[in-house]
Amino acid sequence: MQHKQDIVHSVHADHVQARREQDARERLLNLGADLLDARPWRPPPAPPSAVDLAQFAVWRHAELNPQDILSALALLPAARAEVEGLETALLFMARSTGLTWAQMAHAMGFNSPQACQQHYTRLAARQDADS
């Protein structure tokens, strides 16, 4: 019975976080982020990413009130997931083009090829769990 309650709690928490992120997106878009130029790799009608919205908040910080800043903070989990997805994709591309773990570790500042490979494995596992 406890397992079912944990699942229900987890689903509820996911819905609460999704609502929080949606409210935050709407608030920042209404503050002018909707006027940002589209990125060539995110053509319209794709909305600005969580990273774009968080950067918008930093850029406009002097004009924001505390609630606006809280909205930007609410987007950090989504922004973190976007960056992890980008990192996973770049590491996959690097391996696909024949780069070694040692080369990638050096470029990313890891102490060893094994550390870089383990990092990639953890990122990929999180991506799989989230999808």
Side-chain angles (χ1 to χ4, degrees), residues 40-58:
W41 53 89
R42 291 182 63 90
S49 70
V51 172
D52 288 337
L53 292 172
Q55 287 177 326
F56 170 80
V58 171

Side-chain angles (χ1 to χ4, degrees), residues 47-69:
S49 70
V51 172
D52 288 337
L53 292 172
Q55 287 177 326
F56 170 80
V58 171
W59 176 56
R60 299 277 301 267
H61 74 278
E63 303 165 25
L64 301 182
N65 65 44
Q67 191 59 44
D68 301 332
I69 295 168

Side-chain angles (χ1 to χ4, degrees), residues 19-124:
R19 183 74 239 163
R20 187 178 303 126
E21 287 179 14
Q22 184 58 36
D23 291 346
R25 286 177 187 278
E26 289 173 10
R27 183 179 197 93
L28 293 171
L29 288 169
N30 289 335
L31 289 172
D34 60 336
L35 301 175
L36 294 172
D37 290 335
R39 304 291 189 251
W41 53 89
R42 291 182 63 90
S49 70
V51 172
D52 288 337
L53 292 172
Q55 287 177 326
F56 170 80
V58 171
W59 176 56
R60 299 277 301 267
H61 74 278
E63 303 165 25
L64 301 182
N65 65 44
Q67 191 59 44
D68 301 332
I69 295 168
L70 287 172
S71 292
L73 288 171
L75 291 174
L76 286 179
R80 196 172 295 112
E82 289 175 12
V83 171
E84 285 184 0
L86 177 62
E87 188 175 1
T88 303
L90 286 170
L91 287 167
F92 180 83
M93 288 171 32
R95 288 296 294 155
S96 297
T97 62
L99 291 173
T100 66
W101 288 111
Q103 291 170 308
M104 295 171 3
H106 178 75
M108 295 178 68
F110 284 99
N111 290 328
S112 70
Q114 294 80 10
C116 185
Q117 187 174 13
Q118 290 168 350
H119 178 71
Y120 170 74
T121 301
R122 284 190 298 274
L123 286 173

